[in-house]
Amino acid sequence: MTYLIHGATGAQGSPVVSALLAAGAPVAAAVRDPSAYAGAATPVAVDLTSVESLTKAYEGLDGIFVHLTVGSPDMQRAQAEAVVAAVTAARPARVVVSTSGAQIEGAGSSPMDVLVRGLEATGVSLAVVAPRLYLENLLLPPVTAGVEQDGVLRYPIRGDYAVSWSSHLDVAVVVAHLLQDSSVTGVVGVGALPGLLGTDLAAGFAAHRGGDVRFEAQTPDGFAAVIEPLFGAEGAAPVVASYRWRATQESEVIDEATSAQTRLGLVPRTVEKWLADVNS
């Protein structure tokens, strides 16, 4: 049973590869240049813009993990259409998608809607892993600098904004489970229940550090000022826009009925446990 992992060298795909290998499953890494791949999976050359390339890679597989790469909406839509066309042609046994925190709007025309609705139409067994915000966002240098220098966790969400935070490690555990168990289909939410407030995040950092850490709500514009030097204005723009959207919402908590806790019996790490794992 072979599983092909898109983004096998990235933040989402790499821990999925590790989780599957730890389970003794045969894993293939979908990469642009197999000669440059240094991981433990079997590298397979793919071009996300080529239906022919993807179809060849997907043939005979027991499972595929796919998520859209960071880029413009047009680029992501082209990727989504190529993946759907290749799955339609190759008919792998199972596909697991991560929304990467994007919303699925149903009848919308967003790249994620194109991907999920298109894959649903193929009739291939499908599970959609739906995280919200990633704890790894809190490792950005401007964020960690505030914790280390001032004992302040600054982040662009309101103090009363509850979020089902999760880590890439939590998502990987769920994805690996769903690839190997096709009995669960549809949406599986990943993240903390109940949702965590900023004070909960700060408490996790404090417990890990052994000192006081307090949470301070940051404005989206204030966040933009500190991340633009890292990502550039163009790269930071969609990130900042997402936090402006969050400022209009009451919360961002997954549905308990479709959560990994309920559907799979899998509970995400606490903030303190996540920090211990990523710093070990």
Side-chain angles (χ1 to χ4, degrees):
M1 299 179 71
T2 301
Y3 304 103
L4 181 73
I5 309 304
H6 280 284
T9 60
Q12 289 197 69
S14 178
V16 174
V17 169
S18 297
L20 288 169
L21 290 174
V27 186
V31 294
R32 283 191 292 264
D33 181 6
S35 67
Y37 178 68
T42 301
V44 175
V46 297
D47 179 352
L48 265 173
T49 65
S50 167
V51 175
E52 181 181 3
S53 169
L54 292 172
T55 300
K56 182 178 178 180
Y58 291 173
E59 288 175 346
L61 291 177
D62 294 285
I64 298 164
F65 171 61
V66 62
H67 56 92
L68 298 178
T69 58
V70 176
S72 69
D74 287 344
M75 185 196 77
Q76 289 187 325
R77 188 172 292 105
Q79 290 178 354
E81 291 171 349
V83 168
V84 169
V87 169
T88 301
R91 313 298 299 174
R94 174 77 155 168
V95 179
V96 177
V97 171
S98 171
T99 65
S100 305
Q103 300 294 312
I104 304 174
E105 300 171 2
S109 59
S110 71
M112 189 54 63
D113 281 304
V114 170
L115 179 62
V116 171
R117 301 314 172 202
L119 289 172
E120 287 177 341
T122 69
V124 169
S125 176
L126 174 67
V128 179
V129 178
R132 295 298 187 265
L133 280 173
Y134 290 119
L135 288 168
E136 284 75 10
N137 295 351
L138 304 177
L139 297 180
L140 286 170
V143 180
T144 58
V147 174
E148 294 166 359
Q149 297 170 13
D150 308 321
V152 178
L153 178 63
R154 297 183 181 92
Y155 204 73
I157 53 174
R158 299 188 313 272
D160 65 349
Y161 190 70
V163 180
S164 288
W165 289 85
S166 65
S167 79
H168 291 303
L169 302 175
D170 299 317
V171 174
V173 169
V174 172
V175 170
H177 182 109
L178 291 170
L179 282 170
Q180 297 173 96
D181 178 6
S182 59
S183 66
V184 177
T185 58
V187 174
V188 178
V190 181
L193 286 174
L196 304 178
L197 300 176
T199 51
D200 298 316
L201 300 176
F205 274 83
H208 176 71
R209 285 165 49 86
D212 292 336
V213 178
R214 64 181 177 84
F215 175 75
E216 182 178 291
Q218 191 176 32
T219 67
D221 288 342
F223 191 57
V226 297
I227 68 168
E228 283 183 2
L230 294 175
F231 303 120
E234 185 176 356
V239 176
V240 175
S242 74
Y243 288 101
R244 290 195 178 111
W245 171 80
R246 289 184 171 93
T248 70
Q249 305 300 302
E250 292 185 4
S251 64
E252 201 169 348
V253 180
I254 62 174
D255 181 356
E256 185 172 2
T258 57
S259 67
Q261 289 92 320
T262 298
R263 302 197 71 188
L264 306 177
L266 296 175
V267 179
R269 292 162 174 79
T270 64
V271 176
E272 182 181 3
K273 179 63 167 62
W274 164 71
L275 283 167
D277 288 345
V278 298
N279 286 287
S280 63

